[in-house]
Amino acid sequence: MQYREILKEKLPEKEFALLPRSFDVIGDIAIIELPRELSKRTKAIGAAIMESLHNVKVVAVEQGA
């Protein structure tokens, strides 16, 4: 299951629309760039990424403009 599918029911439509469709994975680290509007949702987004990709141990968030 993709991380966006996990978050579909957990986020309002407006926030869900802001979710990136992709992110980088280097080894066991995922790096995702998020818009500022999602700064309060970083824990939920990180948890969803780790749930969808079992090899990921760390999610780093790059804050966008």
Side-chain angles (χ1 to χ4, degrees):
M1 179 179 286
Q2 294 184 358
Y3 93 104
R4 287 175 54 88
E5 293 173 17
I6 295 169
L7 292 169
K8 188 166 181 87
E9 301 298 320
K10 297 179 181 179
L11 297 178
E13 281 185 45
K14 186 176 181 179
E15 290 179 350
F16 182 79
L18 296 173
L19 281 176
R21 297 199 179 274
S22 64
F23 50 87
D24 296 319
V25 177
I26 302 169
D28 61 356
I29 301 171
I31 303 168
I32 187 166
E33 185 174 346
L34 294 177
R36 292 184 193 272
E37 294 86 357
L38 293 176
S39 63
K40 293 182 181 179
R41 304 292 188 171
T42 56
K43 286 186 180 182
I45 294 168
I49 290 171
M50 290 181 15
E51 183 180 336
S52 68
L53 298 172
H54 298 288
N55 64 311
V56 171
K57 305 286 188 248
V58 175
V59 178
V61 177
E62 182 178 340
Q63 293 291 327

